[in-house]
Every structure is written in structure tokens, then in C-alpha cells.
């Protein structure tokens, strides 16, 4: 006990042992003591020394502490001491007040002890098992220890927990703990657990994490809550960011609707606490994660639709237009609204209808643009407004038209400020950042919209009193090319880059705009002069953009201006600049360090205003045009003519293919109609088969009755008639049976007439189908339908023949019956009833004869239909051969196109080789001292000769 008094602070006489010796003795006591109280006291002493002697306790006592966790599970107190000691030697949070070197050493020490602890994965499994203990002194230090392990070696610990049975589920139970300390530390643990591991994120999400976290946020007061709300939001961000599965689960679970109350702000927005600002900032980030442009378009569109339907977008617009909102929250709200409306027509239309609470009310877009062109506003806020404007116009041709319409002379309202007026004001202001933002915003109003590019050519600007107005396109080029006061303002790189991006976007894919640009005689000389000069590093980007602008004038030139056709512009480049130099200057754009940064994501994020040079959509345009412009500059006139011929040929082939497609569509429609008719005929056939079955059953009944009648007559013939009364009785019975037989034969005749009518309908339908098949070459499909129809006709004919046979047999049997009845009547006294029966039997014979003749006529009709079937098959065969011939011609045409393309490529290779050989021979002649004239010299001499000839003619 004296030893423990010394450890715990008691005074002991004699020399004091060192810390390492004390720790060694304590470790021995932990390992060797049999009494639980002694081990508990030794572990308590190690805990008290673990912060001061972290290295010694970690190296000597870790194995003993782990053994305590495995063996002394029944005592919660010693388990708590052991877990606290392990946490002290692994955690690095206690070293915050040390210098950087000491902090780095402490971090390394914590990582080393963590590696040692997780060498055996069973230690993590043991720790997960201990977390199931409800005792506070065990569960809380266990949560802190596992959090520290995840901070030091997150990937390894995540892998162990992932393969541990029910590992993640045990940790999710911490959120349901009624003790807030454990629940809050459980949130920190889950934050570390879900970092960068999509598999664990999915498991946590499907363990009902969203429901629990949103409940905690609501209980803690939403945005007005404390640090617990922040922890919940950080965990939600971990679960949703870059995880499409969890995002879909969040949306399908209707959790987006539960986010709307977070953004309900009152009229008085003064005095926001720092925690509320942090919470609301994270909430806005959570909304942005669901609609981020990096998500799949379908998922983002679905979330955007849900946010509009539940009123979340409306709530965000309320914050946007509210007063007293902190600047960083307002900036993040603008960015959030931007991504909620990006590419969604419904959301963009709603945003266009939002008005600011001013007098008179102004559209929210106008209010935001006023902030963008105001140089006194914060830089990040101006970037956010530009991003919002870009997202509003993204894939929104309606919005683009509305913005451009505010610049047109017929729609300008002098009493109100419009978006177009603000953009023009920013475009020509003294602030270079306003120039750039306005130019990029106006370029987005023209993006992929040929109509608005042409409409913007109508915009006229009044430069000064007494001077005629100039077009917007002319004014932009004046800023770049003239040498007055406007140029000195525009000489800033940022302003010129913005204007050049606007001009490139404006005239690309718009030959009319190219013609307007080239119509100004000063533009082309200015561009060639800018490209050919040797300027500094800052001006290289401007040179590259000028080369791009000149290349667009070549590529999209419709040759409507005689002085600036494609060929003349290429000759100008070759003489003044040089093709290789031009291509090199064009490549300056993509080689710029800020180009790749702008190409990564749509949002304009720049560390400083000076680095704000490139727009994301413009980088796409450069990537699209750089290659085609390079090819266009290097192509000769003959190559262009050949390409145009090939294009015309391809267009002709495309027209032929289109005609074939239309023909095939028509044939498909006809085939579908024939199939429907065949289906209706099949249903009619089924009905006829049903009728025939019923008739067969009735004929069988008649046979049975006839057999019974024959038996009765046989018995009567064998017996001798004894009296006139018996003969009268027999005649009466025979008369009754004959009357019944007559009725049945009458019914058979009616049914036969019905069959004849149905067969006539069949014949008419077959004739109609035959005429339609003669007009269309429907191929094998039509042949198969007609084959089925003919098979049905064969079956019908066989059934009619069988019925005719039955009627004949019945007729024969009836004649036998009449013969026997006559024999019986000759032996008896004739009566008036017998003569009447004979007359009726004669009538029945006449009817049967008529039915027999009708059956023969039907057989002849079936033979005629068989002949028409052969003719129909011949017509189908001819149509099939016609389709095969057309397909063969089409394949031949495609083969000829491929061969012409291949021959063109071979000619290009031969021309390139020939140019290379000519160049090498000229070089050798120059090396030998021979005078070799270049093409430029020849052109100059030809021009001189032409001038001399003209002078002579004048003399």
C-alpha cells in the first residue's frame, strides 16, 4: 500500500523512483495481481500517469490494458480506467498548446500507438463489443477511443469495422442513447467513420440515419441550435456528398421536404449568432450537394423539381430578398439558388418572376445585377451574382430572349432600369472587374442561341451628343482597337479578355455576325497586328484570344464580303503572321494556368479579382474550336472544294436515306394495319369455328335421334298390326317425329345460310387485302400474314366440305326413313294425314336439294380463292425482290462514299509528302548557294509586274 500512496501523491522517505520504473512496477502489478482491487488500483495509477508519461505508458502498458479489456469484462470500473488510459496515449488533442514540432511529434506518436493497437483486428472487434455496454463509464470512453483511432488511421479502422459483423449497426445505436454526452460524441464518431468511404456511408444511410439526424436537428432548434446541429449537418454532408445512392435515398424518403423549415427567417434578422451563421451555412451546403452540377443530370433535375414543389426554392428566394442577412449567408444563398434553378425551366421561370420588396418593385435579377456591377460590393458576392445569372440563362432560351430584349430599341423603358442597361453600363465602366463580369454575363445570354446573336446586332448605343449611334458590336471592337480614352481603360488585360470572350461567343456559329464584324475595315488589321507582335507574358493570352477571334472569322465565313473571304484571310495570315506562328499563338489559351482551373467546374471561384480571366462555358468553346480552326487555316482551296463536294454528296445520300426511311415508315404503318386486320379476321375465324362446333354437336344429336327412330321402326316392322287403332297410333308417332325432323332441318338450313353470309364477308375482306398488298412492297411480313389468311381459308373449306358430307349422309338416312315409312303405310289404311306427310317430305327434299347446290357453289368459290392466293403470292415475291434491289443500291452508294473518303485521305498524304520534298529541295539549293524564290516573293513580283502593265496601258 505504501507503493500506491507514493504513486497517488503520498510522501515516502528515501529516493523517489523514476516515471519509467513506476510504470514498469504498475504494469507488473496489473499482470501478476490476483485480486481485482489491486489490478483496478494499478490501472487507475496508469491512467493518472498516461498524460505526463505518454510514451512510457504506451510502450509498456498497452498490451496489459488490452488484456484487462478481454479478461475483466465483469468490472465496469476497471474497464473505464483501461479505456481512458488507452485514449490518453492514442489521442493527440491534448497537445494543442505545444509548438509545431512538438505537435508533429505527438501526432506521430499517436499514429504509432494506433498502428500497434490495430495490428490485431480483434482489438477493434473487442472495442465494438464493449460499446454495447450501457454503463456510462464504459461506453463513453469507448466512443472517444474509437474516434481517436479513426482520426489517426481512418482507412484501416474503417476496413476493420466494415468487415466486422454488425459493426456499423452497433455504432448507429449510439444516436439513440438518452445521455446527450454519448449521443453527441457518437455523432463525432460517425463523422470520422463515414469520411471517404462510400460503402460505410450507404450502410449508415440505410440504418435510418437520415430520420434520426433530422429528428435531432429539429429537437435542438434547427438553425438556432447549438454545436450538436452543426455536427448533425456535417454528418449529413458526409453521407450525401458524391454519393448518388444516398442522394436518391434521401430524395425518395421525402427528406427534402423536411429541410424547408430550416430556412424560415423572420423580419428582424439583426444579431445573428456565430453558431446560427455556421448552421445555416451548412444547411445551404446540404441543399447544394443535392443539386450540384457534378451530379447526374437526371438526379439533379429530380431534386430541383422536389425543391420547387415543396416550397424550398421560394423560401430561399425570401432569404435572398430579405434585409439584415449576413454577407456570407447571402453569398451562399445566392450560390444555392443558382444551382437549384440551373437547367430547370420551371425553376428559372419562377426565379424570373421574383421581385425585390422595393418601391417600385424590381425584379430580383435586376437587383442582383446592380450588385454585380457595383465595385464597392465584396468580390465573393459579385462572383456569386455572376454565377446566379449564368445558371438562370443555362439552357434557358426564353430567359436569354428576355435579357436581350431589354437592349433592343423597341423595348427600352427610360423610366426603369433593366438588366440590359446594367450590363451595358458594366461593360463600358471604368472598373475592369465590372467589364469582365458584364461581358461574360452578356456572353451567356448568347450561348448556343443563334436567334439572340442576330438580335443583338440591332442594339445601338449613343456614344456622345451630336454623333450618330453605333452598334454594340462596333463599340466593343472600338474599345479594343481605337486609341482614345476608352482604349486606355480597356488596355487592362482583364477588360480586353472579357471583351474578346464576348466577341468570340457572339460571332461563333453565326455567319451574319461574322460579316458585321469583318465589315469594319479596322478589325482585321488590328487582330493581325496584335497576333504578330512579340509582347510580354501578360499579353500572350490577349494574343491567343485575338487568334481565336480571327480563326472564327475564317471558319464561319460565308464569303459574302469580297475583301475578306476565307481564302483571302488565310493568305493574310500566311503573309503577315505565318501559319505556324498563328497556331502557336492560338495554343496560348489552353496553356494558360488559369484555363484548367476554370474548366473544372461552372462556378466562378477565384482567390483574387486579378485571377478572374476565364469563364467555364468559354473553355468549352475553346476546346471545340481550337482543332477545327487549326485545320481550316492549313487547308488549301482545293481541299475545301473537295470537302464541299463530299459534303454535298453526303447530303444527297442522306436525302436518299431519308426517303428510304420514310418509305419504310409508311410500309411499317401499312404492315401494322394489315396485322390488325389479320387479328380481326382471326377473331372472326374463332367465332366461325365455335359456330361450326355447335353445328357438329347438333348434327350428332340428329344422328342419335335418327338412330332411335330407326330402332323404333324396326320393332314395328317385326310386329304384326292387330287393329286400325294401332296403325293410327303408329302413323301419329311417325308424323310427330317427321315434324320434329323437319324443324331441325329448317334450323340447319338457317345456320347454313349464316355460314354462307360469313364466308361472303371473308371473300370481300380477302379481296380488299389483296388490293392493298398489290400497292405496297411489305416484304416477308406481309407474306406471312397472307399465308396465315390462306391457311384459315383452307381450314374453312375443309369444314364446309365436312358439313356437306354430313348433310348428304343425313339426306340418305332420311330417304331410307321415308322408304321404310312408305312400306309401313302400305300395310295400313291410308289416311289424309299420310298424304299430308308425303307433301311435307317432298318440300324437305326440295330444300335439301337447294342446300346441296349451295354447298357446291361454295366449293367453287373456294377454288377461285385458291387461284387468287397464288396471284397474291407472286405479287409479294415481286415486291420482296424490289426491296432487295433498293437495299443493294443503298449499300453500293455507302461503299462509294467510303472509298471517296479514303482516296481523299490518300491525296492529302501525297500532297503533304510532296510539300515536304519541295521544302527539303529548296533548302538544299539554298545550302548550295542557289537563289530560290519563295511563294511570297513570287506573289510580290507578280503584283509588281501587274502594276507595270497597268502603267504601260495608261501611257
Amino acid at each position: 500500500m505504501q507503493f500506491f500512496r507514493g504513486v497517488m501523491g503520498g510522501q515516502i522517505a528515501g529516493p523517489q523512483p523514476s516515471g519509467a520504473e513506476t510504470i514498469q512496477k504498475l504494469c507488473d502489478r496489473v499482470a501478476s495481481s490476483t485480486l481485482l482491487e489491486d489490478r483496478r488500483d494499478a490501472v487507475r495509477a496508469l491512467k493518472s500517469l498516461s498524460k505526463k508519461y505518454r510514451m512510457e505508458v504506451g510502450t509498456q502498458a498497452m498490451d496489459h490494458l488490452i488484456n484487462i479489456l478481454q479478461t475483466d469484462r465483469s468490472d465496469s470500473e476497471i474497464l473505464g480506467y483501461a479505456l481512458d488510459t488507452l485514449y490518453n496515449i492514442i489521442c493527440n488533442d491534448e497537445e494543442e498548446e505545444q509548438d509545431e514540432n512538438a505537435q508533429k511529434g505527438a501526432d506521430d506518436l499517436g499514429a504509432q500507438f494506433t498502428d500497434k493497437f490495430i495490428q490485431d483486428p480483434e482489438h477493434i472487434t473487442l472495442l465494438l463489443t464493449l460499446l454495447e455496454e450501457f454503463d456510462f463509464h464504459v461506453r463513453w470512453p469507448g466512443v472517444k477511443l474509437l474516434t481517436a483511432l479513426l482520426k489517426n488511421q481512418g482507412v484501416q479502422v474503417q476496413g476493420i469495422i466494415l468487415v466486422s459483423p454488425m459493426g456499423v449497426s452497433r455504432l448507429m445505436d449510439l444516436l439513440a442513447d438518452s445521455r446527450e454526452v454519448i449521443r453527441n460524441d457518437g455523432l463525432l464518431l460517425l463523422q470520422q467513420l463515414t469520411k471517404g468511404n462510400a460503402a460505410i456511408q450507404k450502410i449508415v444511410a440505410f440504418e435510418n440515419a437520415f430520420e434520426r439526424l433530422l429528428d435531432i436537428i429539429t429537437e435542438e432548434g434547427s438553425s438556432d441550435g447549438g454545436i450538436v446541429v452543426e455536427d448533425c449537418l456535417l454528418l449529413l454532408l458526409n453521407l450525401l456528398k458524391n454519393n448518388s445512392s444516398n442522394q436518391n435515398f434521401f430524395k425518395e424518403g421525402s427528406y427534402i421536404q423536411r429541410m424547408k423549415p430550416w430556412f424560415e427567417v423572420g423580419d428582424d434578422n439583426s444579431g445573428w449568432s456565430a453558431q446560427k451563421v455556421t448552421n445555416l451555412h451548412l444547411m445551404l451546403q446540404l441543399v447544394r450537394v443535392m443539386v450540384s452540377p457534378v451530379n447526374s443530370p437526371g438526379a439533379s433535375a429530380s431534386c430541383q423539381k422536389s425543391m420547387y414543389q415543396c416550397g424550398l426554392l421560394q423560401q430561399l428566394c425570401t432569404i435572398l430578398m430579405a434585409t439584415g442577412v449576413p454577407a456570407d449567408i447571402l453569398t451562399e444563398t445566392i450560390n444555392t439558388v443558382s444551382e437549384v434553378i440551373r437547367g430547370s425551366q420551371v425553376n428559372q421561370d419562377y426565379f424570373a418572376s421574383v421581385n425585390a420588396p422595393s418601391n417600385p418593385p424590381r425584379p430580383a435579377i435586376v437587383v442582383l445585377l446592380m450588385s454585380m456591377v457595383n465595385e464597392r460590393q465584396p468580390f465573393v458576392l459579385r462572383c456569386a451574382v455572376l454565377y446566379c445569372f449564368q445558371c438562370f440563362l443555362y439552357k434557358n432560351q426564353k430567359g436569354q430572349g428576355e435579357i436581350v430584349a431589354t437592349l433592343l430599341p423597341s423595348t427600352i423603358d427610360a423610366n426603369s432600369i433593366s438588366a440590359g442597361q446594367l450590363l451595358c453600363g458594366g461593360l463600358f465602366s471604368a472598373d475592369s472587374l465590372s467589364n469582365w463580369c458584364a461581358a461574360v454575363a452578356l456572353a451567356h445570354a448568347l450561348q448556343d442561341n443563334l436567334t439572340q446573336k442576330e438580335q443583338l446586332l440591332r442594339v445601338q448605343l449613343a456614344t456622345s451628343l451630336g454623333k450618330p449611334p453605333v452598334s454594340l458590336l462596333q463599340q466593343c471592337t472600338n474599345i479594343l482597337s481605337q486609341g482614345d480614352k476608352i482604349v486606355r481603360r480597356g488596355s487592362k488585360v482583364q477588360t480586353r479578355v472579357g471583351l474578346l470572350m464576348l466577341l468570340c461567343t457572339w460571332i461563333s456559329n453565326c455567319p451574319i455576325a461574322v460579316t458585321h464584324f469583318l465589315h469594319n475595315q479596322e478589325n482585321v488589321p488590328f487582330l493581325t497586328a496584335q497576333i504578330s507582335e512579340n509582347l510580354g507574358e501578360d499579353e500572350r493570352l490577349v494574343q491567343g484570344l485575338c487568334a481565336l477571334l480571327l480563326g472564327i472569322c475564317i471558319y464561319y465565313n460565308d464569303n459574302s464580303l469580297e475583301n475578306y473571304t476565307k481564302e483571302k484571310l488565310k493568305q493574310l495570315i500566311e503573309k503577315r503572321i505565318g501559319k505556324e506562328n498563328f497556331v502557336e499563338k492560338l495554343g496560348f489559351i489552353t496553356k494558360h494556368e488559369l484555363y484548367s482551373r476554370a474548366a473544372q467546374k461552372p462556378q466562378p471561384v477565384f482567390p483574387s479579382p486579378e485571377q478572374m480571366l476565364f469563364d467555364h462555358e468559354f473553355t468549352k468553346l475553346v476546346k471545340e474550336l481550337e482543332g477545327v480552326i487549326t485545320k481550316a487555316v492549313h487547308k488549301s482551296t482545293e481541299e475545301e472544294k473537295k470537302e464541299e463536294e463530299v459534303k454535298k454528296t453526303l447530303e444527297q445520300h442522306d436525302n436518299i436515306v431519308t426517303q428510304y426511311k420514310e418509305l419504310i415508315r409508311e410500309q411499317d404503318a401499312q404492315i401494322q394495319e394489315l396485322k390488325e386486320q389479320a387479328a380481326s379476321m382471326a377473331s372472326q375465324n374463332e367465332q366461325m369455328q365455335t359456330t361450326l362446333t355447335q353445328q357438329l354437336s347438333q348434327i350428332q344429336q340428329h344422328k342419335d335421334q335418327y338412330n332411335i327412330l330407326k330402332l323404333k321402326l324396326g320393332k314395328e316392322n317385326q310386329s304384326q298390326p292387330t287393329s286400325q287403332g294401332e296403325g293410327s297410333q303408329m302413323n301419329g308417332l311417325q308424323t310427330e317425329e317427321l315434324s320434329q325432323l323437319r324443324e331441325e332441318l329448317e334450323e340447319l338450313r338457317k345456320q347454313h345460310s349464316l355460314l354462307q353470309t360469313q364466308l361472303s364477308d371473308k371473300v370481300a375482306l380477302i379481296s380488299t387485302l389483296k388490293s392493298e398488298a398489290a400497292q405496297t412492297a411489305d416484304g416477308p411480313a406481309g407474306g406471312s400474314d397472307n399465308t396465315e389468311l390462306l391457311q384459315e381459308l383452307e381450314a374453312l373449306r375443309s369444314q364446309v366440305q365436312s358439313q356437306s358430307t354430313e348433310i348428304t349422309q343425313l339426306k340418305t338416312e332420311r330417304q331410307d326413313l321415308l322408304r321404310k315409312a312408305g312400306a309401313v303405310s302400305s300395310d295400313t289404311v291410308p289416311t289424309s294425314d299420310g298424304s299430308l306427310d308425303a307433301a311435307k317430305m317432298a318440300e324437305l327434299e326440295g330444300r335439301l336439294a337447294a342446300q346441296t347446290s349451295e354447298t357446291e357453289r361454295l366449293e367453287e368459290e373456294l377454288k377461285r380463292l385458291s387461284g387468287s392466293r397464288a396471284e397474291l403470292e407472286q405479287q409479294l415475291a415481286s415486291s420482296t425482290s424490289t426491296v432487295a434491289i433498293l437495299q443493294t443500291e443503298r449499300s453500293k452508294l455507302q461503299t462509294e462514299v467510303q472509298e471517296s473518303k479514303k482516296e481523299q485521305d490518300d491525296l492529302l498524304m501525297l500532297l503533304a509528302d510532296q510539300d515536304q520534298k519541295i521544302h527539303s529541295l529548296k533548302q538544299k539549293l539554298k545550302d548550295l548557294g542557289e537563289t530560290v524564290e519563295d511563294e511570297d516573293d513570287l506573289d510580290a513580283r507578280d503584283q509588281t509586274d501587274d502594276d507595270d502593265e497597268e502603267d504601260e496601258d495608261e501611257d
Side-chain angles (χ1 to χ4, degrees):
M1 295 303 293
Q2 291 178 351
F3 169 74
F4 286 112
R5 292 194 190 97
V7 172
M8 302 306 294
Q11 298 295 327
I12 300 178
Q16 297 293 327
S18 64
E21 293 175 351
T22 303
I23 292 169
Q24 182 62 43
K25 291 180 181 179
L26 290 173
C27 291
D28 294 340
R29 181 61 59 89
V30 171
S32 60
S33 294
T34 57
L35 293 177
L36 179 60
E37 291 78 2
D38 292 344
R39 294 198 300 275
R40 185 190 302 132
D41 292 337
V43 174
R44 184 190 298 115
L46 287 173
K47 174 187 173 184
S48 63
L49 296 173
S50 59
K51 293 185 178 180
K52 184 176 181 180
Y53 300 101
R54 182 181 179 188
M55 171 70 78
E56 292 78 3
V57 174
T59 54
Q60 298 181 34
M62 178 174 286
D63 294 336
H64 299 295
L65 294 172
I66 294 173
N67 188 49
I68 288 292
L69 298 178
Q70 293 172 340
T71 57
D72 292 333
R73 295 283 300 276
S74 60
D75 186 67
S76 60
E77 188 175 357
I78 193 172
L79 290 178
Y81 292 149
L83 292 170
D84 283 332
T85 307
L86 289 171
Y87 171 75
N88 290 338
I89 63 178
I90 288 175
C91 181
N92 299 318
D93 294 342
E94 302 296 333
E95 310 292 337
E96 294 178 356
E97 297 180 358
Q98 299 182 3
D99 56 13
E100 294 182 0
N101 294 330
Q103 180 65 37
K104 184 177 180 181
D107 293 342
D108 295 339
L109 192 61
Q112 292 175 7
F113 288 142
T114 301
D115 291 336
K116 183 178 179 181
F117 186 85
I118 66 176
Q119 281 179 355
D120 187 359
E122 292 298 326
H123 295 165
I124 301 295
T125 305
L126 173 63
L127 190 55
L128 293 173
T129 306
L130 292 175
L131 289 179
E132 294 181 344
E133 296 288 338
F134 187 74
D135 191 286
F136 180 82
H137 298 288
V138 177
R139 202 171 201 183
W140 187 39
V143 171
K144 294 192 296 180
L145 175 58
L146 188 55
T147 305
L149 292 171
L150 285 166
K151 286 182 179 179
N152 295 335
Q153 296 293 343
V155 178
Q156 292 86 341
V157 178
Q158 284 174 344
I160 297 172
I161 294 175
L162 188 59
V163 299
S164 177
M166 300 296 292
V168 178
S169 299
R170 295 173 182 174
L171 299 179
M172 285 299 299
D173 293 338
L174 298 174
L175 297 181
D177 200 306
S178 58
R179 294 160 294 192
E180 292 188 0
V181 176
I182 295 178
R183 185 199 65 183
N184 298 341
D185 284 347
L187 289 171
L188 300 177
L189 170 60
L190 290 173
Q191 285 180 24
Q192 298 296 327
L193 180 65
T194 55
K195 279 185 178 179
N197 194 310
I200 293 180
Q201 290 170 0
K202 291 179 182 178
I203 296 174
V204 171
F206 283 94
E207 287 286 342
N208 205 22
F210 294 140
E211 185 75 28
R212 297 184 185 181
L213 293 173
L214 293 175
D215 288 342
I216 294 174
I217 291 173
T218 304
E219 293 171 2
E220 295 291 329
S222 298
S223 59
D224 294 325
I227 190 69
V228 178
V229 174
E230 180 182 351
D231 293 337
C232 291
L233 293 171
L234 289 172
L235 180 54
L236 284 172
L237 285 173
N238 283 353
L239 295 176
L240 293 173
K241 195 170 185 178
N242 299 325
N243 193 319
S244 58
S245 175
N246 283 2
Q247 290 174 5
N248 185 59
F249 182 67
F250 190 85
K251 178 184 71 67
E252 296 296 335
S254 300
Y255 296 119
I256 292 179
Q257 289 80 346
R258 297 186 60 178
M259 297 166 65
K260 180 189 174 184
W262 296 353
F263 304 102
E264 293 178 355
V265 295
D267 297 333
D268 185 12
N269 295 316
S270 59
W272 284 31
S273 65
Q275 187 61 56
K276 181 176 181 179
V277 171
T278 302
N279 292 344
L280 201 56
H281 196 274
L282 291 173
M283 291 172 178
L284 292 170
Q285 287 185 1
L286 195 61
V287 176
R288 293 185 64 184
V289 164
M290 299 297 297
V291 293
S292 174
V294 301
N295 297 344
S296 64
S300 296
S302 179
C303 293
Q304 289 171 337
K305 182 179 179 181
S306 299
M307 290 178 182
Y308 174 75
Q309 291 176 346
C310 73
L312 179 58
L313 175 59
Q314 294 84 331
Q315 205 66 45
L316 292 174
C317 291
T318 302
I319 298 177
L320 197 65
M321 295 292 104
T323 57
V325 178
D328 52 348
I329 293 298
L330 180 60
T331 303
E332 189 65 18
T333 303
I334 294 174
N335 289 328
T336 305
V337 171
S338 305
E339 295 182 353
V340 173
I341 67 174
R342 187 175 189 268
S344 174
Q345 187 65 52
V346 175
N347 293 4
Q348 289 167 341
D349 292 342
Y350 170 76
F351 183 71
S353 65
V354 175
N355 290 324
S358 59
N359 191 13
R362 291 176 177 171
I365 297 175
V366 173
V367 176
L368 292 176
L369 288 178
M370 292 172 68
S371 300
M372 185 186 74
V373 298
N374 187 354
E375 55 185 312
R376 292 190 296 272
Q377 293 294 336
F379 172 65
V380 291
L381 179 62
R382 299 174 74 180
C383 291
V385 173
L386 176 61
Y387 183 47
C388 184
F389 191 73
Q390 292 173 352
C391 292
F392 169 68
L393 298 178
Y394 182 70
K395 293 183 179 180
N396 183 10
Q397 294 192 353
K398 178 183 176 182
Q400 290 175 327
E402 292 173 353
I403 296 298
V404 173
T406 58
L407 288 166
L408 298 179
S410 59
T411 58
I412 293 178
D413 186 4
N415 298 324
S416 62
I417 300 176
S418 65
Q421 294 173 359
L422 291 172
L423 291 177
C424 282
L427 192 63
F428 307 124
S429 69
D431 179 28
S432 60
L433 183 59
S434 297
N435 301 153
W436 190 91
C437 291
V440 171
L442 197 56
H444 277 262
L446 307 175
Q447 197 77 37
D448 299 328
N449 196 326
L450 180 61
T451 303
Q452 303 311 322
K453 291 178 181 179
E454 297 175 356
Q455 287 292 325
L456 199 63
L457 295 173
R458 299 169 49 203
V459 177
Q460 300 290 321
L461 301 175
T463 55
S464 60
L465 293 175
K467 292 185 178 181
V470 297
S471 66
L472 178 61
L473 180 66
Q474 182 66 39
Q475 184 67 10
C476 292
T477 56
N478 290 341
I479 294 177
L480 292 172
S481 59
Q482 291 181 358
D484 55 8
K485 183 179 179 181
I486 299 178
V487 176
R488 289 194 293 275
R489 288 204 304 257
S491 62
K492 297 179 182 179
V493 174
Q494 192 174 40
T495 299
R496 287 191 288 169
V497 168
L499 289 172
L500 286 170
M501 287 195 300
L502 172 60
L503 291 174
C504 290
T505 305
W506 192 346
I507 71 173
S508 65
N509 200 22
C510 184
I512 298 177
V514 172
T515 303
H516 278 71
F517 180 79
L518 294 176
H519 190 72
N520 187 353
Q521 301 294 327
E522 299 177 356
N523 289 340
V524 174
F526 168 74
L527 293 178
T528 54
Q530 286 286 319
I531 299 169
S532 59
E533 289 181 2
N534 293 323
L535 303 175
E537 292 290 333
D538 295 339
E539 299 293 332
R540 282 190 172 185
L541 178 58
V542 177
Q543 285 185 312
L545 292 172
C546 289
L548 178 65
L549 185 59
L550 186 57
I552 292 173
C553 292
I554 295 174
Y555 186 72
Y556 292 107
N557 195 336
D558 58 358
N559 297 327
S560 59
L561 292 178
E562 184 178 357
N563 295 332
Y564 294 110
T565 61
K566 286 185 179 181
E567 186 61 29
K568 290 186 177 180
L569 288 176
K570 286 192 287 187
Q571 292 176 0
L572 184 65
I573 289 175
E574 187 174 359
K575 292 179 181 179
R576 299 283 182 86
I577 304 171
K579 292 182 179 180
E580 299 300 329
N581 189 24
F582 178 84
V583 174
E584 181 183 358
K585 297 294 177 66
L586 183 62
F588 286 163
I589 301 175
T590 55
K591 293 178 182 178
H592 199 278
E593 59 181 354
L594 297 178
Y595 175 86
S596 58
R597 181 184 301 176
Q600 292 176 358
K601 56 182 180 179
Q603 184 180 1
V605 179
F606 303 96
S608 63
E610 293 77 16
Q611 297 184 8
M612 200 170 185
L613 292 178
F614 283 105
D615 174 57
H616 177 75
E617 293 296 329
F618 181 73
T619 59
K620 293 182 181 179
L621 181 66
V622 173
K623 185 177 180 181
E624 176 186 350
L625 293 179
E626 184 179 10
V628 296
I629 289 175
T630 303
K631 291 180 181 179
V633 170
H634 284 291
K635 284 179 184 176
S636 63
T637 306
E638 295 179 356
E639 292 175 351
E640 289 184 352
K641 289 182 179 178
K642 290 181 179 179
E643 282 192 359
E644 290 179 358
E645 292 177 358
V646 171
K647 286 182 180 178
K648 290 181 180 178
T649 305
L650 291 175
E651 288 178 357
Q652 293 176 358
H653 290 312
D654 291 340
N655 292 333
I656 294 173
V657 172
T658 303
Q659 292 176 1
Y660 279 120
K661 287 182 178 178
E662 292 177 355
L663 178 61
I664 290 171
R665 290 193 190 98
E666 292 176 359
Q667 292 177 350
D668 288 340
Q670 293 172 356
I671 289 171
Q672 186 65 29
E673 184 178 357
L674 289 173
K675 286 182 178 179
E676 293 176 356
Q677 293 177 359
S680 63
M681 291 174 66
S683 62
Q684 292 177 4
N685 188 22
E686 291 179 358
Q687 295 177 359
M688 293 175 68
Q689 288 179 353
T690 304
T691 305
L692 288 174
T693 304
Q694 294 176 356
Q695 291 179 355
L696 291 174
S697 63
Q698 292 176 358
I699 290 172
Q700 186 63 34
Q701 292 177 1
H702 295 162
K703 285 182 179 180
D704 296 338
Q705 293 175 2
Y706 178 69
N707 292 329
I708 295 172
L709 185 58
K710 284 168 61 177
L711 292 174
K712 289 182 178 180
L713 290 174
K715 292 180 180 179
E716 291 174 353
N717 289 331
Q718 291 175 2
S719 61
Q720 295 294 331
T722 56
S723 64
Q724 180 68 27
E726 291 178 356
S728 300
Q729 185 179 1
M730 183 184 300
N731 288 335
L733 179 61
Q734 184 178 0
T735 302
E736 182 180 356
E737 291 175 352
L738 288 175
S739 176
Q740 183 178 1
L741 182 60
R742 184 182 60 189
E743 294 175 357
E744 292 172 354
L745 287 175
E746 182 67 22
E747 184 178 358
L748 276 175
R749 186 182 64 79
K750 291 180 181 179
Q751 291 176 357
H752 190 78
S753 300
L754 179 61
L755 279 176
Q756 180 183 356
T757 304
Q758 293 177 351
L759 187 59
S760 301
D761 295 339
K762 278 270 189 177
V763 171
L765 185 58
I766 290 170
S767 300
T768 304
L769 289 175
K770 186 171 66 176
S771 62
E772 292 178 354
Q775 296 175 0
T776 59
D778 54 352
S784 61
D785 293 336
N786 292 321
T787 302
E788 294 177 359
L789 179 60
L790 293 173
Q791 290 176 355
E792 294 174 1
L793 289 175
E794 289 292 342
L796 180 62
R797 185 175 65 180
S798 62
Q799 292 173 358
V800 172
Q801 289 177 353
S802 63
Q803 184 181 5
S804 177
T805 305
E806 293 290 339
I807 292 172
T808 304
Q809 184 178 0
L810 183 61
K811 179 180 177 182
T812 304
E813 293 176 352
R814 185 187 62 81
Q815 290 176 354
D816 294 338
L817 179 62
L818 291 174
R819 181 176 53 81
K820 293 179 181 180
V824 173
S825 61
S826 62
D827 295 334
T828 59
V829 179
T831 61
S832 61
D833 292 335
S835 61
L836 181 61
D837 291 336
K840 290 182 179 179
M841 291 303 294
E843 183 182 358
L844 287 175
E845 287 178 358
R847 290 180 181 178
L848 283 174
Q851 289 182 0
T852 303
S853 62
E854 184 66 24
T855 303
E856 293 175 355
R857 189 185 66 80
L858 289 176
E859 290 177 353
E860 292 177 358
E861 183 67 23
L862 286 174
K863 290 179 182 180
R864 187 179 62 81
L865 290 176
S866 299
S868 63
R869 178 187 65 180
E871 294 176 359
L872 187 59
E873 289 176 351
Q874 291 178 358
Q875 292 175 358
L876 290 175
S878 63
S879 63
T880 304
S881 61
T882 303
V883 172
I885 292 171
L886 292 176
Q887 291 178 349
T888 304
E889 292 177 356
R890 178 183 176 185
S891 62
K892 287 181 180 179
L893 290 174
Q894 292 177 348
T895 305
E896 290 175 0
V897 172
Q898 295 296 329
E899 290 177 356
S900 64
K901 288 184 179 178
K902 185 177 179 182
E903 291 175 0
Q904 183 183 1
D905 294 336
D906 295 338
L907 289 174
L908 290 175
M909 294 295 295
L910 290 173
L911 289 173
D913 293 339
Q914 185 178 3
D915 291 340
Q916 185 66 27
K917 289 179 181 179
I918 292 172
H919 181 72
S920 61
L921 291 174
K922 287 182 179 180
Q923 188 65 34
K924 288 180 180 179
L925 290 173
K926 289 181 180 179
D927 295 337
L928 294 173
E930 295 293 334
T931 301
V932 179
E933 292 183 353
D934 294 331
E935 294 179 0
D936 296 342
D937 298 333
L938 291 174
D939 295 339
R941 190 174 65 184
D942 293 341
Q943 183 67 31
T944 305
D945 295 339
D946 294 340
D947 295 340
D948 293 339
E949 291 176 359
E950 290 175 1
D951 294 338
E952 292 175 0
D953 293 338
E954 290 175 1
D955 294 336

